[in-house]
Amino acid sequence: MKRTAVDSSMMASVGYDRARKTLEIEFQTGDVYEYFGVPYDVFRALLDAASMGRFFHAEIDRVYDFTQVTRTPRRRRR
């Protein structure tokens, strides 16, 4: 899915597949998640939100089913 870079301290990029109603978010950590059954207007509202992080927590997180697509390996502390 093609994602677009966003200006957010929480998210690096977001994408949306209208046919599948799937929202894909790449977080600043590099982890990528897909959220299923997300209406297009919720995706648009996310892009237009004054705070994408607040919108995500209020309107997407724990509202829609999701899967983690990729995980960024964490560095080990020495």
Side-chain angles (χ1 to χ4, degrees):
M1 176 180 311
K2 182 180 177 186
R3 292 188 306 268
T4 302
V6 293
D7 184 18
S8 168
S9 61
M10 181 181 189
M11 299 169 206
S13 63
V14 297
Y16 187 75
D17 183 324
R18 207 169 193 166
R20 294 177 35 223
K21 293 186 178 180
T22 301
L23 171 67
E24 188 171 274
I25 300 175
E26 176 190 13
F27 291 92
Q28 291 292 350
T29 62
D31 295 341
V32 177
Y33 287 80
E34 286 187 343
Y35 296 85
F36 307 107
V38 179
Y40 180 74
D41 61 330
V42 171
F43 166 66
R44 288 302 317 165
L46 172 67
L47 294 179
D48 294 337
S51 169
M52 294 179 81
R54 275 192 219 127
F55 184 89
F56 170 79
H57 286 296
E59 304 293 332
I60 298 168
D61 190 29
R62 299 187 182 148
V63 175
Y64 297 98
D65 290 335
F66 67 92
T67 190
Q68 187 169 6
V69 177
T70 62
R71 169 168 260 159
T72 302
R74 301 202 185 262
R75 292 184 177 174
R76 292 184 185 180
R77 293 185 183 196
R78 294 179 186 194

